[in-house]
Amino acid sequence: MTMLADIRGQTFAALRGPNFRLYISGQAVSLIGTWMQTVAQSWLVLQLTGSATAIGIVLALQTVPMLLLGPYGGVVADRSDKRRLMIGLQTLMGVQALILGLLVVTDTIALWHVYVLAVALGLNQCFENPARQSFMLELVGPEDLRNAVSLQSVLASCSRMIGPAVAGLVIAAGGLGVCFLLNAASFVAVVTSLLRLDVSRLQRSPAAARAKGQLREGFAYVRSTPDLAVPLSMMALVGCLAFEFQVVLPVLADHTFAAGAGAYGFLTAAMGAGSVVGGLAVATWGRTGTRPLILTSLAFGLAMAVAAAAPNLTTLIVLMVLVGALSVTFTSTTNSSLQLASAPTMRGRVMALWSVAFLGSTAIGGPIAGWVCEQWGGRAGLLLGAVACLVAAAMGVVALRRRTATPAEPAAVTG
């Protein structure tokens, strides 16, 4: 019993802080709404066009702003009060969802509306994502950061299970538009949680003073720090080609197995279930650094390759549980490794580059994955991701060997 109590205490250590409990409760509601919108948007575009490439284009438009402006979003995060910045930007995200929902409910939606609103959401995320990622350290401090990042990933994974399931019920009962409207309402919860935080308990990072060349300074800092450059390079490749599940899974459900929206929901929920297991494992026993990241990338790639060969939908759903577990292990390890290796005044810029690598790379990878799926089917989309993971692991091995051959100063984070 004592051992189990110790494990529980270690797994949920960050929840001891009242600010983190309040924050994550608001996130829980908002993330469910976000996944409802994610499922509804992909299905909406598929209904409007019947094209996997069109889904990829929407995702690309949503992520191109992050690719182009994301690093500057990190500069803004380093200069700003992150909590206040998040309150304003989360409010605007709610407005975007509301407009999309009203257009669908009133049956006036057109593909170009989805394109424009995807760009608007992407512009918002350029600044909100770096602020949110770097704000985590202010909420819990360095001792609980890895645990908090992992629990946040678990929450996102639970939302991935609940959101698509709720979306399926809502679409059947009330139509696609209601999913967007419910997502708009969910932002009230996260904004309220941010407003109610006890600011005296926040461990605020010193704000960077305004100065010229801060963007270039951030890039130079990452290039000169192997514990940042290597994980970011791996994340960029994997994020670009392996995390295109919003493009690949609808094609697998609808075209490969001819099973419809319900199968898409089950595949997404299966990934969510696996992500919960993976996130809890990382929260309890996870490590940071390049070596654990290499092993995770290798396992992630092998799991995707096996899933691509699944003989039927049931087997694929089971395998997507494993894929989900390894996907969240990879992202959580990368995220916490970068934050712990970053200087406080650089953390916003470093996490902005993480956002570019993870989210902004979809602007490139989304259309590529869509084209691959149209040419060779959904299985090829999974294989594309598998190859990306294996190449990323090889990149990490080469970088470690070079560092061993050329001794450097001790790193901030060891693997």
Side-chain angles (χ1 to χ4, degrees):
M1 292 296 292
T2 302
M3 182 179 295
L4 290 176
D6 290 342
I7 291 175
R8 285 198 298 270
Q10 186 177 353
T11 303
F12 302 103
L15 290 173
R16 292 191 296 256
N19 268 349
F20 184 71
R21 291 198 302 270
L22 182 59
Y23 171 79
I24 207 160
S25 65
Q27 286 287 313
V29 177
S30 181
L31 285 171
I32 291 173
T34 297
W35 272 106
M36 290 176 65
Q37 172 156 326
T38 298
V39 171
Q41 179 175 280
S42 293
W43 208 252
L44 172 65
V45 173
L46 198 62
Q47 282 188 349
L48 290 173
T49 66
S51 169
T53 300
I55 300 176
I57 291 173
V58 171
L59 293 177
L61 290 173
Q62 190 170 308
T63 51
V64 159
M66 178 70 74
L67 183 66
L68 300 178
L69 301 176
Y72 183 70
V75 174
V76 173
D78 281 335
R79 291 175 177 174
S80 306
D81 182 318
K82 297 176 180 61
R83 184 183 71 95
R84 291 182 179 178
L85 183 61
M86 289 168 63
I87 289 171
L89 294 173
Q90 291 278 352
T91 301
L92 291 176
M93 291 168 73
V95 172
Q96 184 268 354
L98 177 63
I99 293 172
L100 185 55
L102 292 175
L103 286 171
V104 176
V105 168
T106 57
D107 200 24
T108 55
I109 189 70
L111 185 61
W112 72 267
H113 293 142
V114 182
Y115 286 165
V116 170
L117 289 169
V119 173
L121 181 59
L123 286 170
N124 191 306
Q125 290 175 333
C126 287
F127 301 94
E128 191 275 338
N129 205 283
R132 174 163 44 84
Q133 296 296 335
S134 54
F135 183 63
M136 190 67 70
L137 189 64
E138 298 186 10
L139 271 176
V140 300
E143 64 280 358
D144 286 330
L145 176 64
R146 178 181 55 79
N147 183 262
V149 169
S150 299
L151 291 178
Q152 174 77 4
S153 298
V154 170
L155 176 62
S157 303
C158 291
S159 303
R160 182 183 292 174
M161 288 189 296
I162 298 170
V166 174
L169 295 174
V170 170
I171 292 170
L176 288 168
V178 181
C179 289
F180 301 117
L181 295 177
L182 289 175
N183 182 42
S186 75
F187 283 99
V188 175
V190 70
V191 170
T192 300
S193 72
L194 289 168
L195 289 170
R196 292 180 59 199
L197 291 179
D198 182 352
V199 294
S200 67
R201 290 178 175 267
L202 296 178
Q203 302 181 40
R204 293 186 175 180
S205 301
R210 290 179 177 270
K212 292 183 178 180
Q214 287 180 315
L215 188 57
R216 291 193 301 273
E217 183 185 16
F219 282 116
Y221 174 66
V222 168
R223 283 197 302 270
S224 64
T225 311
D227 284 322
L228 300 176
V230 175
L232 277 172
S233 298
M234 294 174 67
M235 185 74 254
L237 180 58
V238 176
C240 181
L241 298 176
F243 279 91
E244 304 305 335
F245 297 110
Q246 294 178 57
V247 176
V248 176
L249 294 187
V251 177
L252 282 167
D254 194 51
H255 297 169
T256 304
F257 293 103
Y264 174 39
F266 279 121
L267 288 170
T268 306
M271 280 197 69
S275 298
V276 171
V277 176
L280 289 174
V282 174
T284 308
W285 300 290
R287 300 178 63 199
T288 56
T290 304
R291 287 185 178 88
L293 194 59
I294 291 170
L295 294 175
T296 303
S297 183
L298 177 62
F300 189 17
L302 292 175
M304 290 189 72
V306 174
N312 52 59
L313 181 60
T314 301
T315 304
L316 178 61
I317 290 172
V318 173
L319 290 171
M320 292 309 292
V321 175
L322 178 60
V323 171
L326 291 166
S327 71
V328 79
T329 302
F330 182 85
T331 55
S332 296
T333 303
T334 308
N335 187 304
S336 53
S337 296
L338 291 172
Q339 293 213 49
L340 291 172
S342 302
T345 55
M346 288 287 184
R347 191 167 292 115
R349 277 165 280 186
V350 171
M351 297 316 295
L353 292 176
W354 180 86
S355 299
V356 171
F358 184 27
L359 302 174
S361 59
T362 298
I364 300 170
I368 292 174
W371 182 81
V372 168
C373 288
E374 285 203 341
Q375 298 299 312
W376 297 289
R379 296 181 189 275
L382 287 178
L383 282 176
L384 177 68
V387 171
C389 292
L390 297 177
V391 172
M395 288 167 49
V397 170
V398 171
L400 278 182
R401 287 181 175 175
R402 286 178 178 173
R403 289 169 62 184
T404 302
T406 308
E409 294 184 3
V413 177
T414 58

